[in-house]
Amino acid sequence: MTARRTTEGPAARSGRPGRRPGGPDTRGEILGAARKSFADKGFTATSIRAVAREAGVDAALVHHYFDSKDELFIEAMALPADPRQIATIIIDGPRDEIGRRIATVFLRVWESPDGQQRMRAIVRSIAGSEEVARLMREGITQLLLQPVSDALDVPDAPLRVSLVAAQLMGLAMIRYLLELEPVASADLQTLVDRLAPVLQHHLTG
Amino acid sequence: MTARRTTEGPAARSGRPGRRPGGPDTRGEILGAARKSFADKGFTATSIRAVAREAGVDAALVHHYFDSKDELFIEAMALPADPRQIATIIIDGPRDEIGRRIATVFLRVWESPDGQQRMRAIVRSIAGSEEVARLMREGITQLLLQPVSDALDVPDAPLRVSLVAAQLMGLAMIRYLLELEPVASADLQTLVDRLAPVLQHHLTG
């Protein structure tokens, strides 16, 4: 859902000693350093400056490729969409249709050309690594669950939102990894129609 | 939920040429052969006889340790409970309390001493191996989802039951692997109270 900047950066502008200029895969190297920093220190304690240090480049070069730490996280985790945009779509609009908006936006993202493949990779890496699990938990909480939870404005909103996350995560697991029928081959509209009232109940019931 | 037979079997009773008698880890070797057979041929096409052949023992020896192919599957997959017993608990009882029964029985099994650890291992192996995913899909469908679906006696029962499976699988993933708060540390009664109406809606709404 976000445009990706794939152009190469301004080579060797900083000129400071010890900082490498932008090379042919500077962007990839910054992402690798970001993954390492996020995993070592967690989402909150990681800064653009720390990622730049880890990658051996100037912080300005990191900023050339990524607007913010949030964007760096989204790209480093290869999320199929920007969770901040998803949060906005969920929050904006009538409260009594929030379940339907959630079901629609997630299924559209996951069923996009590379969405299924990315979801499979994400579930696999959460299951395979405690570091990735921790990182994903922190990042998704900060960028998606927390904003939605704040907008709901009820005391038990975090619990409600995390049960919605459970239903969606389970759907992804069953449709894309376990391929359990009939969920695996159900059409999108059927799934949206089934999920909408249940997600609505979790949030406002 | 099933008593496990851990006693060693009758050594060398069959006496046929080419068949090994029961050794100190015959049970473990049969389980290994079962995993291989199930993975190679799938659940339906695997027989006790084929597992015995794979393990190089007599079929009677397999029967000594495992009453049936179902039991062999349950032990080979290290499920935290017997899905046939869970199906019975879900099916027996008032239809308008089926959501609560499902939430209660699954959470009790998963929160048993080795339940969480087994669930973590199961989700990890589903995510890590397409063979395990296929095997789990077939076995769980035959032993749990199909019987519950048949008992519901409505045309779209399989879809309803698989959406319940998605909610439960997602809960396990979020509570035990992703450890997303507040689901990760919520008490059992809170989770049962939240899940019951949603599972009920999936099945009878």
Side-chain angles (χ1 to χ4, degrees):
Chain A
M1 294 179 96
T2 33
R4 278 154 211 284
R5 292 196 226 168
T6 50
T7 50
E8 283 309 322
R13 283 227 195 106
S14 81
R16 291 191 213 165
R19 307 290 174 105
R20 289 193 302 101
D25 193 29
T26 308
R27 191 177 182 280
E29 285 167 19
I30 292 170
L31 283 177
R35 269 180 221 109
K36 188 171 182 319
S37 286
F38 281 130
D40 289 349
K41 298 173 196 158
F43 178 82
T44 313
T46 292
S47 64
I48 290 272
R49 192 169 295 273
V51 171
R53 204 160 36 233
E54 178 74 40
V57 301
D58 197 274
L61 195 60
V62 178
H63 275 296
H64 170 79
Y65 290 106
F66 307 97
D67 275 338
S68 62
K69 184 174 81 168
D70 292 357
E71 200 182 300
L72 196 52
F73 170 80
I74 293 161
E75 295 286 327
M77 291 290 99
L79 298 184
D82 184 337
R84 299 164 302 177
Q85 288 183 18
I86 293 184
T88 305
I89 292 169
I90 293 170
I91 292 164
D92 291 350
R95 190 57 45 88
D96 60 352
E97 288 168 14
I98 192 169
R100 181 162 295 271
R101 280 202 303 285
I102 292 174
T104 307
V105 69
F106 277 99
L107 280 164
R108 271 194 198 146
V109 166
W110 295 347
E111 303 284 322
S112 68
D114 68 345
Q116 294 194 26
Q117 202 183 328
R118 281 182 184 231
M119 280 310 290
R120 239 178 251 124
I122 286 170
V123 176
R124 288 207 172 109
S125 50
I126 289 174
S129 152
E130 283 185 29
E131 270 182 355
V132 173
R134 180 166 68 96
L135 192 48
M136 196 60 85
R137 173 174 72 239
E138 279 190 52
I140 291 295
T141 300
Q142 300 262 353
L143 302 179
L144 178 57
L145 307 187
Q146 191 68 53
V148 172
S149 183
D150 289 347
L152 278 181
D153 198 27
V154 285
D156 60 351
L159 181 60
R160 290 171 179 270
V161 170
S162 58
L163 288 166
V164 164
Q167 174 75 75
L168 292 170
M169 178 68 85
L171 188 86
M173 178 106 189
I174 277 198
R175 185 165 165 98
Y176 307 125
L177 262 94
L178 204 53
E179 296 179 27
L180 196 80
E181 292 298 352
V183 160
S185 51
D187 63 279
L188 280 206
Q189 196 52 54
T190 302
L191 291 177
V192 168
D193 289 344
R194 294 298 172 129
L195 289 172
V198 158
L199 301 182
Q200 186 74 39
H201 183 93
H202 271 315
L203 293 178
T204 64
Chain B
M1 292 179 98
T2 34
R4 281 152 208 283
R5 293 196 226 168
T6 50
T7 50
E8 284 308 321
R13 284 228 194 103
S14 80
R16 292 190 212 164
R19 307 289 175 107
R20 288 192 303 101
D25 193 28
T26 308
R27 189 176 183 280
E29 284 167 19
I30 292 170
L31 282 177
R35 268 180 223 112
K36 189 173 181 321
S37 287
F38 282 129
D40 289 350
K41 298 171 196 160
F43 179 82
T44 313
T46 293
S47 64
I48 289 273
R49 191 169 296 275
V51 170
R53 201 160 42 232
E54 178 75 38
V57 300
D58 197 273
L61 195 61
V62 178
H63 275 295
H64 169 79
Y65 290 106
F66 308 97
D67 276 337
S68 62
K69 184 174 81 170
D70 291 358
E71 201 183 297
L72 196 52
F73 170 80
I74 293 160
E75 294 286 328
M77 291 290 98
L79 298 183
D82 184 337
R84 299 164 304 176
Q85 288 183 19
I86 293 184
T88 306
I89 291 169
I90 293 170
I91 292 164
D92 291 350
R95 188 57 45 89
D96 60 352
E97 289 168 14
I98 193 169
R100 182 161 293 273
R101 281 202 301 286
I102 292 174
T104 307
V105 70
F106 276 100
L107 279 165
R108 270 194 198 146
V109 165
W110 294 346
E111 302 283 323
S112 68
D114 67 346
Q116 294 194 26
Q117 203 183 328
R118 282 184 186 231
M119 280 310 291
R120 239 176 253 128
I122 287 170
V123 176
R124 288 208 171 110
S125 49
I126 289 174
S129 151
E130 283 184 30
E131 270 182 355
V132 173
R134 181 166 67 95
L135 192 48
M136 196 61 83
R137 173 174 71 239
E138 280 190 51
I140 292 295
T141 300
Q142 300 263 351
L143 302 179
L144 179 57
L145 307 187
Q146 191 68 52
V148 172
S149 182
D150 289 347
L152 278 181
D153 198 26
V154 285
D156 60 351
L159 181 60
R160 289 171 179 271
V161 169
S162 59
L163 288 166
V164 165
Q167 174 75 75
L168 292 169
M169 179 68 86
L171 188 86
M173 178 106 188
I174 277 197
R175 186 167 165 96
Y176 307 125
L177 263 94
L178 204 53
E179 296 179 27
L180 196 80
E181 292 297 354
V183 160
S185 51
D187 63 281
L188 280 205
Q189 197 51 53
T190 301
L191 291 177
V192 169
D193 289 343
R194 294 298 173 129
L195 289 173
V198 158
L199 301 181
Q200 187 73 38
H201 182 92
H202 271 314
L203 293 177
T204 65

